[in-house]
Amino acid sequence: MKLYNSSRSAQIVLKVLLGGFVLVPVLSVLAASLRSPVPLRLDSMTAFVERYFSLEQYRDILFHNLDYWACFWNAVFLLVPSMLLTVIFASLAAYGLSCQSRSKGQKAVVMGYILLSLLPVQILLVPNFIALSSIGLIGSRLSVILVASFSPYYVYFLFRICRQLRLEIFEAARIEGAGELKIYWFIAMPQMKSGIGMLLLIGAADLWNMVEQPLALLQDPAKYPLTLMFRSINSGMQYAGSIIFSLPFVILLLCFGGEAAKNLEHI
């Protein structure tokens, strides 16, 4: 019993240390965002409070910086269609790989998806740029949306879920006269619901933070998302801007991340 208690205490201490290590940068940025951008003399308690507990950075970036909101909506316009297309393409590919009996060809295709998902984004920028340039899409938002919509990792992610289904279910539906699209929509998609929820959380956070794709493909500052705006933002607002930038997905992960992770424990 004593050994169990000591082991559990050690685990708690380790979790606290690791959690504190992760939270230190976040708390540092949060503390810096509450500092007044204007130096104040600490000659009274009021001055001390105004210097270290000021919302001036948040006020400036939310109410006096139109470029911030323009870039915010640019990011939204890139994120929403990209995620919708990602879910469609990834779920269709995952269904196609898992709805037939296992074979060497299937294993080879899945291994190809795994290998492609290991490639850094930067390696694919040049071929993507050449292909999109040849069809005249460089400079349009559609170029970033198309590049962001095809992710081998998410195909493999949903394949791991869809392959848990018994092939007899698909065969029975075909015998009853159901077409492949009907089977995909009414049988496979409901079974992939938990995986799609996690995909939306992870994929949206990834696309919200993308830098290389819009920088290389948009080539127009008026279309840049928030990630590229931070290069030129006033140094007195960078900390508050980064907190506001990350806040939506922190809230989403806190609200839905735990439930989605529980639903994926069987994978």
Side-chain angles (χ1 to χ4, degrees):
M1 188 67 179
K2 291 182 179 180
L3 181 61
Y4 173 77
N5 290 335
S6 61
S7 175
R8 188 171 182 180
S9 300
Q11 291 179 3
I12 293 174
V13 171
L14 181 61
K15 290 179 181 179
V16 170
L17 291 176
L18 291 176
F21 179 77
V22 172
L23 289 176
V24 164
V26 179
L27 295 177
S28 300
V29 173
L30 179 61
S33 70
L34 294 174
R35 295 188 61 177
S36 174
V38 180
L40 299 173
R41 294 181 59 184
L42 302 179
D43 53 1
S44 66
M45 182 58 68
T46 302
F48 178 84
V49 172
E50 290 179 354
R51 180 170 181 177
Y52 293 103
F53 299 95
S54 171
L55 297 178
E56 189 172 347
Q57 291 189 44
Y58 292 93
R59 183 193 64 191
D60 290 342
I61 201 165
L62 289 175
F63 302 108
H64 303 291
N65 195 318
L66 296 179
D67 291 339
Y68 185 88
W69 290 109
C71 293
F72 173 86
W73 288 113
N74 286 340
V76 172
F77 293 149
L78 293 175
L79 172 66
V80 173
S82 297
M83 285 311 307
L84 290 176
L85 290 176
T86 297
V87 170
I88 293 172
F89 295 145
S91 60
L92 280 171
Y95 167 72
L97 286 172
S98 59
C99 68
Q100 301 293 337
S101 59
R102 309 325 186 219
S103 64
K104 292 183 179 180
Q106 182 200 60
K107 293 180 180 179
V109 173
V110 172
M111 183 58 64
Y113 275 109
I114 295 174
L115 295 176
L116 287 173
S117 66
L118 296 176
L119 292 177
V121 175
Q122 295 81 359
I123 292 180
L124 300 175
L125 273 180
V126 173
N128 284 332
F129 184 91
I130 295 174
L132 292 168
S133 179
S134 64
I135 57 178
L137 289 180
I138 296 298
S140 69
R141 292 188 177 92
L142 184 58
S143 61
V144 178
I145 292 171
L146 290 177
V147 169
S149 298
F150 296 93
S151 175
Y153 171 75
Y154 297 132
V155 173
Y156 176 70
F157 182 81
L158 292 182
F159 167 74
R160 289 287 304 276
I161 298 171
C162 200
R163 75 171 183 175
Q164 304 296 325
L165 296 176
R166 297 174 59 184
L167 295 178
E168 291 81 359
I169 299 176
F170 299 135
E171 294 298 335
R174 294 188 185 101
I175 292 174
E176 293 296 327
E180 293 300 327
L181 286 178
K182 195 171 184 179
I183 297 173
Y184 157 76
W185 185 256
F186 290 103
I187 298 178
M189 282 294 282
Q191 300 296 324
M192 290 189 284
K193 187 184 300 182
S194 59
I196 290 173
M198 182 61 75
L199 184 153
L200 289 172
L201 289 175
I202 299 174
D206 184 35
L207 295 180
W208 189 254
N209 288 278
M210 63 181 172
V211 175
E212 293 90 352
Q213 299 95 322
L215 181 62
L217 302 176
L218 291 181
Q219 300 183 346
D220 183 0
K223 298 178 182 178
Y224 283 170
L226 275 175
T227 47
L228 297 180
M229 178 198 176
F230 285 109
R231 299 184 306 163
S232 57
I233 195 173
N234 188 323
S235 59
M237 296 184 291
Q238 285 180 344
Y239 296 109
S242 61
I243 293 294
I244 298 172
F245 172 80
S246 58
L247 193 59
F249 287 96
V250 172
I251 295 174
L252 284 176
L253 288 174
L254 290 176
C255 294
F256 305 106
E259 187 64 27
K262 289 180 182 178
N263 294 332
L264 293 175
E265 287 180 354
H266 65 281
I267 299 176

